[in-house]
Amino acid sequence: MSKEIEIISKYLDENGKLPCIKGFAVASKLGVSTCEIGAITKELGIRVTDCELGVFGNLEFLDKDEEIYSQIIKKANESKQIECKTLWDEAKKSSLKMVGSTVKNSDIEVVYCQLGCFRTRSHSGRKH
């Protein structure tokens, strides 16, 4: 695990946590799939923080964008759940910040974190 600690430590924030967005770079540097990052950091006692979709962490978000909401809700299931990867793919049409802001300020629930941090978990945003 010393190789993992050495690599991950370069990406930690000032609180010793790994920001979500940097988890993708860590996976690449470690030569593992992104979905393994949650297990690796958990084993090392490192928390992943600042989910780009607002599920956890302290990132600041903008207001909900109704046009983006109407596009992503079509891809959600009947419980208004949508996979993290699907939302990231949708963000390629606008921006991750706008998709994350829309999710954070809506009734959409993000499931299946790409970093393996959670399978299902309600975000801490407002429910509308």
Side-chain angles (χ1 to χ4, degrees), residues 18 23 32-48 113-118:
L18 179 66
V32 300
S33 69
T34 56
C35 66
E36 294 178 66
I37 294 301
I40 291 170
T41 55
K42 184 175 182 177
E43 186 175 326
L44 295 172
I46 297 169
R47 293 184 54 108
V48 177
C113 171
Q114 293 181 86
L115 297 179
C117 296
F118 60 86

Side-chain angles (χ1 to χ4, degrees), residues 100-124:
S101 295
T102 298
V103 169
K104 176 74 173 176
N105 294 301
S106 74
D107 55 355
I108 294 172
E109 180 182 356
V110 182
V111 296
Y112 299 105
C113 171
Q114 293 181 86
L115 297 179
C117 296
F118 60 86
R119 290 178 58 84
T120 59
R121 179 175 168 183
S122 296
H123 64 68
S124 59

Side-chain angles (χ1 to χ4, degrees), residues 50-103:
D50 294 339
C51 169
E52 297 294 323
L53 298 174
V55 179
F56 53 81
N58 296 310
L59 291 179
E60 300 222 357
F61 290 91
L62 307 170
D63 292 331
K64 174 182 169 184
D65 183 293
E66 292 298 333
E67 189 173 319
I68 291 173
Y69 179 84
S70 69
Q71 292 303 309
I72 60 180
I73 197 66
K74 293 175 190 174
K75 296 178 180 184
N77 67 19
E78 62 280 347
S79 299
K80 296 187 179 180
Q81 295 175 326
I82 189 165
E83 291 186 20
C84 172
K85 178 161 182 11
T86 302
L87 291 165
W88 277 62
D89 289 344
E90 188 65 30
K92 293 174 185 171
K93 299 175 189 172
S94 58
S95 74
L96 189 54
K97 182 77 167 182
M98 288 307 303
V99 169
S101 295
T102 298
V103 169

